[in-house]
Amino acid sequence: MNERQRDMFLWKWSRSRRPGRTVIAIRGAVIGAVGGLVFAVILLSSMGHGGNRSTAAVLAGLQQGWLMLGLSIPAFAAMGFVSAYRVFSSQEAMYQSLLRAGARVPEQKPVLVVGDRGPAVAVAIAVAVIVAFIVFVWIKLG
């Protein structure tokens, strides 16, 4: 991490940390719960196409749906909460370490050059490739 990258981290994190660890963790839980809902809906949408439409079959499908929602939403919410809490703690530890080492939070947003953005660009490309493969598999295997 060079000085411009360090200053950018300090500047961004000094603003991002304002809500506090608990609020950020709760936001993570909410995002996780939404992810659990999407997960359950995707799984449930692939169940029961055609076939038996009797009352017993519909009730069994509803039971499976409620079970899927009841399991996936809290599980994903817990993962979101724990992940957000851990990331906040890690970022805060790095922030405090840099401040103890004598770094100061800049008054205004630092300007990064193209070379400073290299790691972020590499991560963005990797994420885009992963998402493209997931979409490809989802479309291909339906």
Side-chain angles (χ1 to χ4, degrees):
M1 177 183 305
N2 64 33
E3 284 186 25
R4 288 182 303 276
Q5 290 169 327
R6 180 202 65 201
D7 288 346
M8 180 61 84
F9 169 76
L10 289 170
W11 185 81
K12 278 186 171 181
W13 187 247
S14 69
R15 282 144 184 79
S16 298
R17 68 192 287 270
R18 288 181 184 154
R21 185 183 323 262
T22 305
V23 171
I24 298 296
I26 290 171
R27 286 179 189 167
V30 169
I31 292 169
V34 170
L37 176 65
V38 170
F39 176 79
V41 166
I42 289 172
L43 284 181
L44 292 172
S45 69
S46 66
M47 291 174 39
H49 289 204
N52 189 358
R53 296 202 188 281
S54 69
T55 303
V58 171
L59 290 175
L62 287 174
Q63 182 182 13
Q64 288 177 340
W66 285 114
L67 179 64
M68 181 64 67
L69 288 170
L71 293 173
S72 66
I73 292 174
F76 277 72
M79 286 189 295
F81 182 88
V82 169
S83 297
Y85 192 89
R86 289 186 64 177
V87 168
F88 185 95
S89 297
S90 171
Q91 297 286 61
E92 183 65 17
M94 188 166 38
Y95 178 78
Q96 293 300 330
S97 173
L98 287 170
L99 292 179
R100 280 192 299 274
R104 292 179 352 125
V105 177
E107 297 287 324
Q108 46 186 291
K109 185 177 180 178
V111 177
L112 299 180
V113 297
V114 175
D116 296 335
R117 298 184 186 275
V121 170
V123 169
I125 291 170
V127 168
V129 168
I130 291 169
V131 168
F133 278 125
I134 290 171
V135 169
F136 173 77
V137 168
W138 190 19
I139 290 170
K140 203 69 173 160
L141 299 178

